[in-house]
Amino acid sequence: MSDLAKTPGTSTEKPAPQPPAAEQSAAPVPAVDPRLLIREEGFKGYWSEFTRKVRGGELGSLPVFVGLIVIAVVFQFQNSNFLSASSVANIAVYSSGIGIMAVGIVFVLLLGEIDLSVGSVAGVGAAVWAVLNVNNGWNEWLAIIVAVLSGMALGALHGFFFAKIGVPAFVVTLAGFLGWSGLQDWMMGGEGSINTPSGSVVENLTNYFFEDKAAGYGLALVAVLAYGASLLVDSRRRKTAGLPARPTGEVVLRTAVVAILCFAVAYVLNEPVGARGLPLALVLFLAVLIVADFVARRTSFGRQVFAVGGNPEAARRAGINVDRVRITVFALSGTLGAFGGLFIASLSGGATKSVGGGNTLMLVIAAAVIGGTSLFGGRGKVWSALLGMIVIQSIQQGLNMIGMANAIQYMITGAVLLAAVVIDSVSRRTQKTAGRA
């Protein structure tokens, strides 16, 4: 037994070393979000952040805006009427129907899938309206509602076979493309076309213009105020949650840029000689975009779409009903496809066997992809439909004004589509290399 007796309650272990008094009094330094430091640096900070994102492959809508500027400069140099009131109005009107259909395709692409039936669904929607309203004397509004609902039913059917049965979306919608084209042909009968009644709702979709200048400038003002208010509300919500938020100066600058663009378009549509005013088609297209953007960014369903498109298995394990999301998205695509078909019928003067045929499918998918929606799923914005459609229609408008053949237009549009997919692929690869995927 040791000569040193252990005293009860004592320990032979050495006490832990105590830090210096200066270190004891020092409070822990809170982590600072780098985005706050960037905004405090002003223009230099924003520029460094912009260059970092570009090097990391986060291009966003930058290629689209650069492309639009190049298109405007080239065609305005070739024909001084390219940016005239009539030309801008034509771009807005002819973009509406295909653009509305492209909004539905954006949601499908966010899932990482494809819908090849949207053109034939548009044709069926136009045929249903024409047969019910013109041939059978139904109330036009009721015929329009039934036509749109028929598109929803066809889209939901595609989603059911894809989600529940497990048939690939490519195969299901390809079968729909063929089958619904035959249904459209059968519904139209031997004549092959049903003219749009004069003064009807469908005719006014693309032929009605708000001639009062207050309509154009009023819509521009509402758009600017709504955009500025959304930025302020978002900034306040982030501050309340303790997250980085845009400073007031940035909000003012962004709102000012949007105001310049909106009022410039309103001026072109209203003021020059020959201007017809604000097209109803553009108003309806913007309304669809705003509602769809709200659904995609501000609702749980929209977040579920992005989650399923990013990783379906992870979304399922997180408790998301993947099958329901998929069926709903294809139903939405069919709904907007049928609605867009009514715009195409309005432009062509009636429902025909060719509504939704030709290059319609190509243009719809190209608009979504060129606007920035990824073909690989999980990344994109609803406004891609607007940006992509403006690019496509601007190219077609410019080539028509300089007398270029349709064959050249197809080749150029195809090249632009390929360039958009290449940019998306390179961007994803760069993000993975930079560790930001």
Side-chain angles (χ1 to χ4, degrees):
M1 186 174 181
S2 174
D3 295 338
L4 296 175
K6 294 183 179 180
T7 305
T10 63
S11 174
T12 58
E13 296 181 1
K14 294 182 180 181
Q18 298 295 322
E23 294 183 11
Q24 294 183 33
S25 60
V29 179
V32 179
D33 193 301
R35 287 173 291 182
L36 293 176
L37 298 177
I38 289 171
R39 285 164 179 163
E40 289 177 358
E41 293 177 359
F43 177 78
K44 180 181 177 181
Y46 282 106
W47 178 254
S48 63
E49 175 70 0
F50 171 76
T51 55
R52 182 192 65 79
K53 286 185 175 181
V54 171
R55 288 194 301 268
E58 300 178 63
L59 301 178
S61 300
L62 177 63
V64 183
F65 286 113
V66 172
L68 284 174
I69 293 174
V70 172
I71 290 171
V73 171
V74 170
F75 285 122
Q76 183 67 16
F77 179 77
Q78 295 290 328
N79 190 317
S80 59
N81 292 323
F82 178 72
L83 295 178
S84 64
S86 59
S87 177
V88 172
N90 284 338
I91 292 174
V93 171
Y94 280 89
S95 298
S96 57
I98 302 294
I100 288 173
M101 297 164 65
V103 173
I105 292 297
V106 167
F107 279 89
V108 175
L109 293 179
L110 289 176
L111 289 180
E113 303 298 338
I114 194 68
D115 185 356
L116 301 179
S117 67
V118 64
S120 56
V121 171
V124 170
V128 169
W129 161 79
V131 170
L132 294 180
N133 174 240
V134 181
N135 288 0
N136 293 285
W138 282 37
N139 175 270
E140 186 173 13
W141 283 106
L142 180 59
I144 290 174
I145 293 174
V146 173
V148 173
L149 291 179
S150 67
M152 178 188 296
L154 298 181
L157 184 62
H158 300 153
F160 171 80
F161 278 102
F162 167 56
K164 295 295 186 180
I165 309 301
V167 182
F170 178 89
V171 177
V172 172
T173 56
L174 178 60
F177 167 76
L178 298 173
W180 308 138
S181 296
L183 176 61
Q184 175 189 3
D185 196 356
W186 176 77
M187 293 181 64
M188 296 302 299
E191 296 182 2
S193 65
I194 301 176
N195 294 331
T196 304
S198 178
S200 64
V201 174
V202 171
E203 183 189 48
N204 288 333
L205 287 177
T206 58
N207 289 282
Y208 184 82
F209 288 75
F210 296 96
E211 297 181 357
D212 190 345
K213 296 179 180 180
Y217 289 118
L219 179 62
L221 178 61
V222 170
V224 172
L225 293 178
Y227 179 74
S230 67
L231 292 181
L232 290 174
V233 170
D234 182 68
S235 179
R236 181 175 301 177
R237 291 175 58 188
R238 296 182 67 86
K239 287 180 179 178
T240 303
L243 299 173
R246 292 188 179 95
T248 304
E250 181 181 346
V251 172
V252 173
L253 178 60
R254 287 172 174 266
T255 305
V257 172
V258 172
I260 292 174
L261 293 175
C262 290
F263 281 98
V265 174
Y267 173 81
V268 172
L269 292 175
N270 278 331
E271 299 297 338
V273 177
R276 300 178 61 186
L278 177 66
L280 173 62
L282 178 60
V283 176
L284 295 176
F285 185 18
L286 292 177
V288 171
L289 285 167
I290 292 172
V291 173
D293 180 66
F294 176 82
V295 170
R297 296 194 303 114
R298 300 296 184 185
T299 66
S300 59
F301 171 74
R303 290 187 288 271
Q304 290 173 2
V305 172
F306 281 95
V308 173
N311 191 323
E313 185 58 32
R316 182 178 286 107
R317 293 184 179 184
I320 295 175
N321 190 330
V322 175
D323 291 346
R324 184 184 64 186
V325 171
R326 286 171 168 171
I327 294 174
T328 304
V329 166
F330 276 92
L332 176 62
S333 177
T335 302
L336 294 179
F339 188 39
L342 298 178
F343 283 76
I344 299 176
S346 177
L347 284 171
S348 58
T352 65
K353 293 183 179 181
S354 62
V355 170
N359 61 349
T360 300
L361 174 62
M362 179 199 73
L363 293 178
V364 171
I365 297 177
V369 175
I370 291 173
T373 301
S374 175
L375 281 170
F376 305 100
R379 188 176 66 179
K381 296 180 179 179
V382 170
W383 292 93
S384 300
L386 174 64
L387 296 176
M389 202 60 238
I390 291 177
V391 169
I392 293 174
Q393 194 57 49
S394 296
I395 293 174
Q396 292 186 345
Q397 178 76 9
L399 293 177
N400 285 332
M401 294 180 71
I402 62 177
M404 197 69 68
N406 287 336
I408 304 297
Q409 296 184 28
Y410 288 159
M411 288 188 285
I412 293 178
T413 305
V416 172
L417 174 60
L418 177 61
V421 177
V422 169
I423 291 173
D424 180 40
S425 301
V426 173
S427 174
R428 279 183 170 267
R429 185 179 304 171
T430 305
Q431 290 186 40
K432 289 182 179 179
T433 304
R436 301 183 62 86

